[in-house]
Amino acid sequence: MKRNHWYVIITYIVMQLSAFVGVPLLRALGVGQGAESRLEAAKLASGYWAIISFLLAFVIILWLLRGDRDERMMRRLPLASSWMWAVLGVFLALAAQSIAANIEWRLLGIKPGSENTRQIIDIIRLTPLLVVVTSVIGPILEELIFRKIIFGSLYEKYNFWLAALVSSLLFAIVHMEPEHLLLYTSMGMVFAFLYAKTGRIFVPIFAHVAMNTFVVAMQTLLADEIEKMMRQSELPLAVWRVWL
């Protein structure tokens, strides 16, 4: 792995851990003082710190990867075909997510729904600017790290399945919901396939950004309608609920 890629990974890890220092710091500076409860104040501080830390990490990582290309991929599809796969990838990721969620619910007995996604949506309602992080910056960073760097480096030495599985498992672990390991891994496998198929990192980035944007829109703007639809159809939550 290239030296700058290690720096990218370190930057991402520091960003993820920075909340342990950043959130208390913002609270000490008075962020969330006008909140109705301590929980709401904590969510406000968490939202603002996520915006700050992700933006800072995003700038640093883009600088570290300046001039970095997808030369490790053995082939690159023409641009028009790559865009076709980018759009198709959105539906592939949503389908993989739905299938995995139903397997978890029907075969493994895992309760549908994501506490991680629910908390993120709650914070977005308090700090709307966070939607830029969850819908755009976060997915871009994850694709650069888990697909371009980790999957790409493994793909140089091993076959697709091993490289995709390892990078997708790491992608799932980072989301800190072990009960939904299958679900996040399946999404990671789709994004790895898109990258390997086209040789262009913008393809899984587009699919991931579009999917997250869809999730946020569904669970912030149409949450009540979705719950009503689930009650009327009597279908399991896993059919309708999507994850970030």
Side-chain angles (χ1 to χ4, degrees), residues 70-76 151-152 155 195-196 198-200:
D70 296 327
E71 67 273 4
R72 63 170 47 85
M73 292 292 108
M74 295 179 62
R75 61 178 182 175
R76 299 178 72 186
F151 169 74
Y155 194 38
Y195 187 30
T198 63
R200 298 179 185 272

Side-chain angles (χ1 to χ4, degrees), residues 47 60 67 85 92 100 134 147 149 157 187 213 222 228:
I60 293 172
W85 277 106
L92 290 176
T134 58
R147 252 60 68 181
I149 293 178
K157 300 179 180 180
M187 291 163 54
T213 301
L222 303 174
K228 182 179 179 181

Side-chain angles (χ1 to χ4, degrees), residues 10-71:
I10 291 171
T11 301
Y12 184 77
I13 293 173
V14 170
M15 178 202 72
Q16 293 283 7
L17 298 177
S18 68
F20 292 105
V21 176
V23 173
L25 176 62
L26 291 184
R27 292 292 304 278
L29 293 175
V31 174
Q33 280 187 344
E36 296 181 357
S37 65
R38 294 182 62 182
L39 177 60
E40 184 174 300
K43 288 181 177 180
L44 279 167
S46 298
Y48 284 121
W49 183 255
I51 294 168
I52 294 169
S53 60
F54 270 81
L55 281 174
L56 183 59
F58 186 61
V59 171
I60 293 172
I61 287 173
L62 288 184
W63 181 79
L64 288 170
L65 292 177
R66 67 194 186 283
D68 212 60
R69 300 180 182 274
D70 296 327
E71 67 273 4

Side-chain angles (χ1 to χ4, degrees), residues 74-109:
M74 295 179 62
R75 61 178 182 175
R76 299 178 72 186
L77 288 184
L79 198 56
S81 298
S82 296
W83 273 112
M84 180 195 71
W85 277 106
V87 174
L88 179 61
V90 181
F91 299 97
L92 290 176
L94 288 171
Q97 189 180 87
S98 178
I99 293 170
N102 276 282
I103 290 174
E104 287 181 348
W105 178 73
R106 295 178 185 277
L107 300 183
L108 303 179

Side-chain angles (χ1 to χ4, degrees), residues 21 34 54 56 90 100 160 163 177 209 217 223 235 243:
V21 176
F54 270 81
L56 183 59
V90 181
F160 167 82
E177 287 191 296
V209 167
L235 288 174
W243 282 255

